[in-house]
Short mmCIF file of all heavy atoms in Angstrom, two decimals:
data_model
loop_
_atom_site.label_atom_id
_atom_site.label_comp_id
_atom_site.label_asym_id
_atom_site.label_seq_id
_atom_site.Cartn_x
_atom_site.Cartn_y
_atom_site.Cartn_z
N MET A 1 94.78 132.80 126.93
CA MET A 1 95.81 131.80 127.15
C MET A 1 95.31 130.41 126.78
O MET A 1 96.05 129.63 126.21
CB MET A 1 96.17 131.84 128.63
CG MET A 1 97.62 131.88 129.03
SD MET A 1 98.77 132.53 127.87
CE MET A 1 100.17 131.71 128.46
N GLU A 2 94.05 130.14 127.14
CA GLU A 2 93.50 128.82 126.83
C GLU A 2 93.41 128.61 125.33
O GLU A 2 93.61 127.49 124.85
CB GLU A 2 92.12 128.66 127.46
CG GLU A 2 92.16 128.58 128.98
CD GLU A 2 90.77 128.50 129.57
OE1 GLU A 2 89.82 128.21 128.82
OE2 GLU A 2 90.64 128.73 130.77
N LEU A 3 93.14 129.68 124.60
CA LEU A 3 93.08 129.58 123.15
C LEU A 3 94.44 129.20 122.58
O LEU A 3 94.54 128.36 121.68
CB LEU A 3 92.60 130.91 122.54
CG LEU A 3 92.47 130.94 121.02
CD1 LEU A 3 91.42 129.94 120.56
CD2 LEU A 3 92.12 132.34 120.56
N LEU A 4 95.50 129.78 123.13
CA LEU A 4 96.86 129.47 122.69
C LEU A 4 97.20 128.01 122.96
O LEU A 4 97.75 127.32 122.10
CB LEU A 4 97.86 130.38 123.40
CG LEU A 4 99.33 130.18 123.00
CD1 LEU A 4 99.51 130.51 121.52
CD2 LEU A 4 100.22 131.07 123.84
N TYR A 5 96.82 127.50 124.14
CA TYR A 5 97.06 126.09 124.46
C TYR A 5 96.29 125.18 123.51
O TYR A 5 96.79 124.15 123.06
CB TYR A 5 96.66 125.78 125.90
CG TYR A 5 97.56 126.41 126.94
CD1 TYR A 5 97.03 126.92 128.12
CD2 TYR A 5 98.93 126.46 126.75
CE1 TYR A 5 97.84 127.49 129.09
CE2 TYR A 5 99.75 127.03 127.71
CZ TYR A 5 99.22 127.54 128.87
OH TYR A 5 100.03 128.10 129.82
N GLY A 6 95.08 125.56 123.20
CA GLY A 6 94.26 124.78 122.27
C GLY A 6 94.87 124.72 120.89
O GLY A 6 94.92 123.68 120.25
N ILE A 7 95.38 125.87 120.42
CA ILE A 7 96.01 125.92 119.10
C ILE A 7 97.29 125.08 119.08
O ILE A 7 97.55 124.33 118.13
CB ILE A 7 96.29 127.38 118.70
CG1 ILE A 7 94.97 128.11 118.45
CG2 ILE A 7 97.18 127.45 117.46
CD1 ILE A 7 95.12 129.60 118.23
N ILE A 8 98.08 125.16 120.13
CA ILE A 8 99.31 124.36 120.22
C ILE A 8 98.97 122.88 120.23
O ILE A 8 99.60 122.08 119.53
CB ILE A 8 100.14 124.76 121.46
CG1 ILE A 8 100.70 126.16 121.28
CG2 ILE A 8 101.26 123.76 121.72
CD1 ILE A 8 101.35 126.75 122.52
N PHE A 9 97.96 122.50 121.01
CA PHE A 9 97.54 121.10 121.07
C PHE A 9 97.09 120.62 119.70
O PHE A 9 97.48 119.53 119.26
CB PHE A 9 96.41 120.94 122.09
CG PHE A 9 95.82 119.56 122.08
CD1 PHE A 9 96.48 118.51 122.69
CD2 PHE A 9 94.61 119.32 121.45
CE1 PHE A 9 95.93 117.24 122.67
CE2 PHE A 9 94.06 118.06 121.42
CZ PHE A 9 94.73 117.01 122.03
N LEU A 10 96.28 121.41 119.01
CA LEU A 10 95.80 121.02 117.69
C LEU A 10 96.95 120.90 116.69
O LEU A 10 96.97 119.99 115.85
CB LEU A 10 94.76 122.01 117.18
CG LEU A 10 93.40 121.95 117.87
CD1 LEU A 10 92.50 123.06 117.34
CD2 LEU A 10 92.75 120.60 117.67
N PHE A 11 97.93 121.80 116.78
CA PHE A 11 99.08 121.73 115.88
C PHE A 11 99.89 120.46 116.12
O PHE A 11 100.28 119.77 115.17
CB PHE A 11 99.96 122.97 116.05
CG PHE A 11 101.13 123.01 115.12
CD1 PHE A 11 100.95 123.21 113.77
CD2 PHE A 11 102.41 122.81 115.61
CE1 PHE A 11 102.03 123.23 112.91
CE2 PHE A 11 103.50 122.82 114.76
CZ PHE A 11 103.31 123.04 113.40
N ILE A 12 100.12 120.14 117.38
CA ILE A 12 100.86 118.92 117.71
C ILE A 12 100.07 117.69 117.25
O ILE A 12 100.63 116.75 116.68
CB ILE A 12 101.18 118.86 119.22
CG1 ILE A 12 102.20 119.94 119.58
CG2 ILE A 12 101.69 117.48 119.62
CD1 ILE A 12 102.43 120.12 121.05
N PHE A 13 98.76 117.70 117.47
CA PHE A 13 97.90 116.60 117.03
C PHE A 13 97.96 116.46 115.51
O PHE A 13 98.06 115.35 114.98
CB PHE A 13 96.47 116.85 117.51
CG PHE A 13 95.54 115.72 117.25
CD1 PHE A 13 95.66 114.54 117.95
CD2 PHE A 13 94.53 115.84 116.31
CE1 PHE A 13 94.80 113.48 117.72
CE2 PHE A 13 93.67 114.79 116.06
CZ PHE A 13 93.80 113.60 116.77
N TYR A 14 97.95 117.59 114.80
CA TYR A 14 98.06 117.58 113.35
C TYR A 14 99.37 116.94 112.91
O TYR A 14 99.40 116.13 111.98
CB TYR A 14 97.95 119.01 112.81
CG TYR A 14 98.40 119.16 111.38
CD1 TYR A 14 97.60 118.75 110.33
CD2 TYR A 14 99.65 119.72 111.08
CE1 TYR A 14 98.02 118.87 109.02
CE2 TYR A 14 100.08 119.84 109.78
CZ TYR A 14 99.26 119.42 108.74
OH TYR A 14 99.69 119.54 107.44
N LEU A 15 100.47 117.30 113.55
CA LEU A 15 101.78 116.73 113.18
C LEU A 15 101.81 115.22 113.41
O LEU A 15 102.36 114.47 112.60
CB LEU A 15 102.90 117.42 113.96
CG LEU A 15 103.18 118.87 113.58
CD1 LEU A 15 104.27 119.44 114.50
CD2 LEU A 15 103.60 118.98 112.13
N ILE A 16 101.22 114.77 114.51
CA ILE A 16 101.19 113.33 114.80
C ILE A 16 100.39 112.60 113.73
O ILE A 16 100.83 111.57 113.20
CB ILE A 16 100.61 113.08 116.21
CG1 ILE A 16 101.58 113.59 117.26
CG2 ILE A 16 100.30 111.61 116.42
CD1 ILE A 16 101.02 113.63 118.67
N ILE A 17 99.22 113.11 113.39
CA ILE A 17 98.37 112.47 112.38
C ILE A 17 99.07 112.48 111.02
O ILE A 17 99.08 111.48 110.30
CB ILE A 17 96.99 113.18 112.28
CG1 ILE A 17 96.23 113.04 113.59
CG2 ILE A 17 96.18 112.64 111.12
CD1 ILE A 17 95.90 111.62 113.97
N LYS A 18 99.67 113.61 110.68
CA LYS A 18 100.38 113.72 109.39
C LYS A 18 101.50 112.70 109.30
O LYS A 18 101.68 112.03 108.28
CB LYS A 18 100.93 115.14 109.24
CG LYS A 18 101.66 115.37 107.95
CD LYS A 18 102.21 116.78 107.89
CE LYS A 18 103.18 116.92 106.75
NZ LYS A 18 103.96 118.13 106.83
N THR A 19 102.27 112.55 110.36
CA THR A 19 103.36 111.58 110.39
C THR A 19 102.84 110.16 110.25
O THR A 19 103.40 109.36 109.50
CB THR A 19 104.17 111.73 111.69
OG1 THR A 19 104.63 113.08 111.80
CG2 THR A 19 105.36 110.80 111.71
N ALA A 20 101.78 109.84 110.95
CA ALA A 20 101.21 108.49 110.90
C ALA A 20 100.70 108.17 109.50
O ALA A 20 100.93 107.07 108.98
CB ALA A 20 100.09 108.35 111.92
N VAL A 21 100.02 109.11 108.88
CA VAL A 21 99.49 108.88 107.53
C VAL A 21 100.63 108.73 106.53
O VAL A 21 100.61 107.83 105.69
CB VAL A 21 98.54 110.04 107.12
CG1 VAL A 21 98.20 109.96 105.65
CG2 VAL A 21 97.29 110.01 107.97
N THR A 22 101.63 109.57 106.62
CA THR A 22 102.77 109.48 105.72
C THR A 22 103.49 108.15 105.88
O THR A 22 103.84 107.51 104.89
CB THR A 22 103.76 110.64 105.98
OG1 THR A 22 103.06 111.87 105.86
CG2 THR A 22 104.90 110.61 105.00
N LYS A 23 103.68 107.72 107.11
CA LYS A 23 104.33 106.43 107.36
C LYS A 23 103.49 105.29 106.81
O LYS A 23 104.01 104.35 106.22
CB LYS A 23 104.56 106.23 108.85
CG LYS A 23 105.32 104.96 109.19
CD LYS A 23 105.71 104.95 110.65
CE LYS A 23 106.34 103.70 111.14
NZ LYS A 23 106.97 102.83 110.19
N GLY A 24 102.19 105.37 106.96
CA GLY A 24 101.30 104.34 106.42
C GLY A 24 101.37 104.25 104.92
O GLY A 24 101.39 103.17 104.34
N ILE A 25 101.44 105.41 104.26
CA ILE A 25 101.55 105.42 102.80
C ILE A 25 102.88 104.83 102.37
O ILE A 25 102.95 104.04 101.43
CB ILE A 25 101.38 106.87 102.26
CG1 ILE A 25 99.94 107.32 102.46
CG2 ILE A 25 101.78 106.96 100.80
CD1 ILE A 25 99.71 108.78 102.18
N ASP A 26 103.96 105.18 103.05
CA ASP A 26 105.27 104.63 102.73
C ASP A 26 105.28 103.12 102.93
O ASP A 26 105.83 102.38 102.11
CB ASP A 26 106.36 105.27 103.60
CG ASP A 26 106.60 106.73 103.24
OD1 ASP A 26 106.17 107.15 102.15
OD2 ASP A 26 107.22 107.43 104.06
N ASP A 27 104.69 102.65 104.02
CA ASP A 27 104.65 101.22 104.30
C ASP A 27 103.86 100.47 103.24
O ASP A 27 104.24 99.38 102.82
CB ASP A 27 104.05 100.95 105.68
CG ASP A 27 105.00 101.34 106.80
OD1 ASP A 27 106.18 101.60 106.52
OD2 ASP A 27 104.54 101.39 107.96
N SER A 28 102.76 101.05 102.77
CA SER A 28 101.95 100.37 101.77
C SER A 28 102.73 100.27 100.45
O SER A 28 102.61 99.28 99.73
CB SER A 28 100.62 101.08 101.55
OG SER A 28 100.81 102.34 100.96
N GLY A 29 103.54 101.26 100.15
CA GLY A 29 104.38 101.19 98.96
C GLY A 29 105.41 100.08 99.06
O GLY A 29 105.64 99.34 98.09
N VAL A 30 106.00 99.94 100.22
CA VAL A 30 106.99 98.89 100.44
C VAL A 30 106.32 97.52 100.34
O VAL A 30 106.87 96.58 99.74
CB VAL A 30 107.67 99.06 101.82
CG1 VAL A 30 108.51 97.86 102.18
CG2 VAL A 30 108.51 100.32 101.83
N ILE A 31 105.12 97.40 100.88
CA ILE A 31 104.40 96.13 100.82
C ILE A 31 104.10 95.76 99.38
O ILE A 31 104.25 94.60 98.98
CB ILE A 31 103.11 96.20 101.67
CG1 ILE A 31 103.47 96.25 103.15
CG2 ILE A 31 102.18 95.03 101.37
CD1 ILE A 31 102.29 96.55 104.06
N LYS A 32 103.70 96.73 98.56
CA LYS A 32 103.43 96.46 97.15
C LYS A 32 104.69 95.96 96.45
O LYS A 32 104.64 95.03 95.65
CB LYS A 32 102.90 97.70 96.45
CG LYS A 32 101.47 98.03 96.79
CD LYS A 32 101.01 99.29 96.06
CE LYS A 32 99.61 99.67 96.48
NZ LYS A 32 99.18 100.92 95.81
N GLU A 33 105.82 96.60 96.73
CA GLU A 33 107.08 96.18 96.12
C GLU A 33 107.43 94.76 96.54
O GLU A 33 107.87 93.95 95.71
CB GLU A 33 108.20 97.13 96.53
CG GLU A 33 108.12 98.50 95.91
CD GLU A 33 109.20 99.43 96.39
OE1 GLU A 33 110.22 98.95 96.94
OE2 GLU A 33 109.04 100.65 96.22
N LEU A 34 107.26 94.45 97.81
CA LEU A 34 107.57 93.11 98.28
C LEU A 34 106.67 92.06 97.65
O LEU A 34 107.12 90.97 97.28
CB LEU A 34 107.46 93.04 99.81
CG LEU A 34 108.54 93.78 100.59
CD1 LEU A 34 108.22 93.77 102.07
CD2 LEU A 34 109.90 93.16 100.33
N LYS A 35 105.40 92.37 97.50
CA LYS A 35 104.48 91.43 96.86
C LYS A 35 104.90 91.18 95.41
O LYS A 35 104.85 90.04 94.93
CB LYS A 35 103.05 91.97 96.89
CG LYS A 35 102.39 91.84 98.24
CD LYS A 35 100.95 92.34 98.20
CE LYS A 35 100.26 92.22 99.54
NZ LYS A 35 98.88 92.73 99.49
N GLN A 36 105.32 92.23 94.72
CA GLN A 36 105.76 92.07 93.34
C GLN A 36 107.02 91.21 93.27
O GLN A 36 107.14 90.35 92.41
CB GLN A 36 106.01 93.44 92.71
CG GLN A 36 106.33 93.37 91.23
CD GLN A 36 106.40 94.73 90.59
OE1 GLN A 36 106.21 95.74 91.26
NE2 GLN A 36 106.66 94.79 89.32
N GLU A 37 107.94 91.42 94.19
CA GLU A 37 109.16 90.61 94.22
C GLU A 37 108.83 89.15 94.51
O GLU A 37 109.43 88.25 93.92
CB GLU A 37 110.12 91.15 95.28
CG GLU A 37 110.80 92.43 94.88
CD GLU A 37 111.79 92.93 95.93
OE1 GLU A 37 112.30 92.11 96.71
OE2 GLU A 37 112.02 94.14 95.97
N ILE A 38 107.87 88.90 95.39
CA ILE A 38 107.47 87.52 95.70
C ILE A 38 106.91 86.86 94.45
O ILE A 38 107.22 85.70 94.16
CB ILE A 38 106.45 87.50 96.86
CG1 ILE A 38 107.15 87.84 98.17
CG2 ILE A 38 105.76 86.14 96.96
CD1 ILE A 38 106.20 88.07 99.33
N LYS A 39 106.07 87.58 93.69
CA LYS A 39 105.51 87.03 92.46
C LYS A 39 106.62 86.66 91.48
O LYS A 39 106.60 85.60 90.86
CB LYS A 39 104.55 88.02 91.80
CG LYS A 39 103.23 88.15 92.50
CD LYS A 39 102.34 89.16 91.78
CE LYS A 39 101.05 89.40 92.54
NZ LYS A 39 100.22 90.43 91.87
N GLU A 40 107.60 87.56 91.34
CA GLU A 40 108.71 87.31 90.42
C GLU A 40 109.53 86.09 90.86
O GLU A 40 109.92 85.26 90.05
CB GLU A 40 109.60 88.53 90.32
CG GLU A 40 108.96 89.70 89.61
CD GLU A 40 109.80 90.95 89.62
OE1 GLU A 40 110.99 90.88 90.02
OE2 GLU A 40 109.28 92.01 89.22
N LEU A 41 109.76 85.98 92.17
CA LEU A 41 110.52 84.83 92.67
C LEU A 41 109.76 83.53 92.46
O LEU A 41 110.36 82.50 92.15
CB LEU A 41 110.85 85.03 94.15
CG LEU A 41 111.90 86.09 94.45
CD1 LEU A 41 112.01 86.33 95.95
CD2 LEU A 41 113.25 85.69 93.87
N LYS A 42 108.44 83.56 92.63
CA LYS A 42 107.64 82.36 92.38
C LYS A 42 107.73 81.94 90.92
O LYS A 42 107.82 80.75 90.61
CB LYS A 42 106.18 82.59 92.78
CG LYS A 42 105.95 82.58 94.27
CD LYS A 42 104.48 82.77 94.60
CE LYS A 42 104.24 82.75 96.10
NZ LYS A 42 102.81 82.96 96.43
N LYS A 43 107.70 82.93 90.01
CA LYS A 43 107.83 82.62 88.59
C LYS A 43 109.19 81.99 88.30
O LYS A 43 109.29 81.02 87.56
CB LYS A 43 107.66 83.89 87.75
CG LYS A 43 106.24 84.39 87.67
CD LYS A 43 106.16 85.65 86.83
CE LYS A 43 104.77 86.23 86.83
NZ LYS A 43 104.72 87.50 86.05
N GLN A 44 110.24 82.57 88.90
CA GLN A 44 111.58 82.02 88.69
C GLN A 44 111.68 80.61 89.23
O GLN A 44 112.28 79.73 88.60
CB GLN A 44 112.62 82.91 89.37
CG GLN A 44 112.85 84.23 88.68
CD GLN A 44 113.84 85.10 89.42
OE1 GLN A 44 114.33 84.73 90.48
NE2 GLN A 44 114.12 86.27 88.89
N LYS A 45 111.08 80.36 90.38
CA LYS A 45 111.10 79.03 90.98
C LYS A 45 110.38 78.04 90.09
O LYS A 45 110.86 76.92 89.87
CB LYS A 45 110.45 79.07 92.36
CG LYS A 45 110.48 77.76 93.10
CD LYS A 45 109.83 77.88 94.46
CE LYS A 45 109.79 76.55 95.17
NZ LYS A 45 109.07 76.64 96.44
N LEU A 46 109.24 78.43 89.54
CA LEU A 46 108.48 77.57 88.66
C LEU A 46 109.29 77.24 87.40
O LEU A 46 109.33 76.09 86.97
CB LEU A 46 107.16 78.22 88.28
CG LEU A 46 106.20 77.41 87.43
CD1 LEU A 46 105.80 76.13 88.18
CD2 LEU A 46 104.97 78.21 87.09
N LYS A 47 109.95 78.25 86.83
CA LYS A 47 110.78 78.02 85.65
C LYS A 47 111.91 77.05 85.98
O LYS A 47 112.23 76.15 85.19
CB LYS A 47 111.36 79.33 85.13
CG LYS A 47 110.36 80.20 84.44
CD LYS A 47 111.00 81.49 83.96
CE LYS A 47 109.97 82.42 83.34
NZ LYS A 47 110.59 83.69 82.89
N GLU A 48 112.53 77.21 87.13
CA GLU A 48 113.63 76.33 87.55
C GLU A 48 113.13 74.90 87.73
O GLU A 48 113.80 73.95 87.32
CB GLU A 48 114.25 76.85 88.84
CG GLU A 48 115.50 76.09 89.27
CD GLU A 48 116.65 76.24 88.31
OE1 GLU A 48 116.76 77.29 87.65
OE2 GLU A 48 117.44 75.29 88.20
N GLN A 49 111.95 74.74 88.33
CA GLN A 49 111.39 73.41 88.50
C GLN A 49 111.10 72.77 87.15
O GLN A 49 111.34 71.57 86.95
CB GLN A 49 110.11 73.47 89.33
CG GLN A 49 110.35 73.70 90.80
CD GLN A 49 109.05 73.84 91.58
OE1 GLN A 49 107.99 74.02 91.00
NE2 GLN A 49 109.15 73.77 92.89
N ASN A 50 110.59 73.54 86.21
CA ASN A 50 110.31 73.02 84.87
C ASN A 50 111.60 72.57 84.18
O ASN A 50 111.63 71.55 83.51
CB ASN A 50 109.58 74.05 84.02
CG ASN A 50 108.15 74.25 84.46
OD1 ASN A 50 107.57 73.39 85.12
ND2 ASN A 50 107.58 75.39 84.11
N ARG A 51 112.66 73.34 84.37
CA ARG A 51 113.95 72.96 83.79
C ARG A 51 114.45 71.65 84.39
O ARG A 51 114.95 70.78 83.69
CB ARG A 51 114.99 74.06 84.03
CG ARG A 51 115.08 75.01 82.89
CD ARG A 51 116.31 75.90 83.02
NE ARG A 51 115.77 77.25 83.07
CZ ARG A 51 116.19 78.23 83.81
NH1 ARG A 51 117.22 78.03 84.62
NH2 ARG A 51 115.65 79.40 83.78
N GLU A 52 114.33 71.53 85.72
CA GLU A 52 114.76 70.29 86.39
C GLU A 52 113.96 69.10 85.89
O GLU A 52 114.51 68.03 85.65
CB GLU A 52 114.62 70.43 87.91
CG GLU A 52 115.65 71.33 88.55
CD GLU A 52 117.06 70.78 88.45
OE1 GLU A 52 117.24 69.55 88.56
OE2 GLU A 52 117.98 71.59 88.22
N GLU A 53 112.65 69.27 85.75
CA GLU A 53 111.81 68.19 85.26
C GLU A 53 112.20 67.82 83.84
O GLU A 53 112.25 66.64 83.49
CB GLU A 53 110.34 68.58 85.32
CG GLU A 53 109.78 68.64 86.73
CD GLU A 53 108.35 69.14 86.78
OE1 GLU A 53 107.73 69.33 85.71
OE2 GLU A 53 107.85 69.33 87.90
N SER A 54 112.51 68.79 83.01
CA SER A 54 112.93 68.53 81.64
C SER A 54 114.23 67.75 81.62
O SER A 54 114.41 66.82 80.83
CB SER A 54 113.11 69.84 80.87
OG SER A 54 111.89 70.51 80.76
N ARG A 55 115.16 68.08 82.50
CA ARG A 55 116.43 67.35 82.57
C ARG A 55 116.20 65.90 82.95
O ARG A 55 116.80 65.00 82.39
CB ARG A 55 117.36 67.99 83.61
CG ARG A 55 118.01 69.25 83.16
CD ARG A 55 119.01 69.71 84.19
NE ARG A 55 119.29 71.12 84.02
CZ ARG A 55 119.81 71.89 84.95
NH1 ARG A 55 120.11 71.40 86.12
NH2 ARG A 55 120.04 73.16 84.71
N HIS A 56 115.32 65.67 83.92
CA HIS A 56 115.05 64.29 84.34
C HIS A 56 114.41 63.49 83.22
O HIS A 56 114.73 62.33 83.02
CB HIS A 56 114.16 64.27 85.58
CG HIS A 56 114.83 64.78 86.83
ND1 HIS A 56 115.97 64.20 87.34
CD2 HIS A 56 114.53 65.80 87.66
CE1 HIS A 56 116.34 64.84 88.43
NE2 HIS A 56 115.49 65.83 88.65
N ILE A 57 113.50 64.13 82.49
CA ILE A 57 112.84 63.43 81.39
C ILE A 57 113.85 63.10 80.30
O ILE A 57 113.87 61.98 79.76
CB ILE A 57 111.68 64.28 80.81
CG1 ILE A 57 110.55 64.36 81.86
CG2 ILE A 57 111.16 63.71 79.51
CD1 ILE A 57 109.45 65.35 81.51
N ILE A 58 114.73 64.06 80.00
CA ILE A 58 115.75 63.82 78.97
C ILE A 58 116.71 62.72 79.42
O ILE A 58 117.08 61.84 78.64
CB ILE A 58 116.52 65.12 78.65
CG1 ILE A 58 115.57 66.11 77.95
CG2 ILE A 58 117.74 64.86 77.79
CD1 ILE A 58 116.13 67.50 77.78
N ASN A 59 117.12 62.73 80.67
CA ASN A 59 118.03 61.71 81.17
C ASN A 59 117.39 60.34 81.17
O ASN A 59 118.05 59.34 80.93
CB ASN A 59 118.50 62.06 82.60
CG ASN A 59 119.48 63.21 82.61
OD1 ASN A 59 120.11 63.49 81.60
ND2 ASN A 59 119.60 63.89 83.74
N ARG A 60 116.12 60.23 81.43
CA ARG A 60 115.43 58.94 81.41
C ARG A 60 115.36 58.38 80.00
O ARG A 60 115.48 57.18 79.79
CB ARG A 60 114.01 59.09 81.96
CG ARG A 60 113.96 59.28 83.45
CD ARG A 60 112.54 59.37 83.92
NE ARG A 60 112.49 59.83 85.30
CZ ARG A 60 111.42 60.30 85.90
NH1 ARG A 60 110.27 60.35 85.24
NH2 ARG A 60 111.47 60.70 87.13
N GLU A 61 115.14 59.27 79.04
CA GLU A 61 115.04 58.82 77.66
C GLU A 61 116.39 58.40 77.13
O GLU A 61 116.48 57.54 76.25
CB GLU A 61 114.46 59.93 76.80
CG GLU A 61 113.00 60.22 77.08
CD GLU A 61 112.45 61.39 76.30
OE1 GLU A 61 113.23 62.02 75.55
OE2 GLU A 61 111.25 61.67 76.45
N ALA A 62 117.47 58.97 77.62
CA ALA A 62 118.81 58.66 77.10
C ALA A 62 119.35 57.37 77.59
O ALA A 62 118.99 56.42 77.98
CB ALA A 62 119.79 59.75 77.53
#
């Protein structure tokens, strides 16, 4: 009987560990995607700032 309890405990422990690892892998994928989106948004912001600066320079010259 004790062997059966031990096997059940190990199986439940295995499921908990498996779930935690899977969730961690999924979370790391989401984090990578978010970091990439942040980089893209920073690039877009920089381009927008450059456009604004160009407009001000053109308006000053005119």
Side-chain angles (χ1 to χ4, degrees):
M1 227 25 204
E2 291 177 16
L3 181 63
L4 181 63
Y5 290 142
I7 292 172
I8 291 171
F9 173 77
L10 288 176
F11 182 70
I12 291 171
F13 187 70
Y14 165 77
L15 290 177
I16 291 170
I17 297 298
K18 180 182 168 193
T19 304
V21 169
T22 305
K23 184 171 175 22
I25 291 171
D26 290 344
D27 288 348
S28 67
V30 170
I31 290 170
K32 286 180 184 178
E33 289 177 18
L34 289 173
K35 284 182 180 179
Q36 186 173 0
E37 286 182 25
I38 288 171
K39 286 180 185 177
E40 291 175 10
L41 289 173
K42 285 182 180 179
K43 287 180 185 178
Q44 288 177 358
K45 183 180 177 184
L46 184 61
K47 287 180 184 179
E48 186 65 30
Q49 286 177 346
N50 288 339
R51 266 192 240 141
E52 287 294 322
E53 289 176 6
S54 296
R55 284 186 200 161
H56 291 301
I57 291 171
I58 292 171
N59 287 339
R60 287 182 192 163
E61 291 175 358

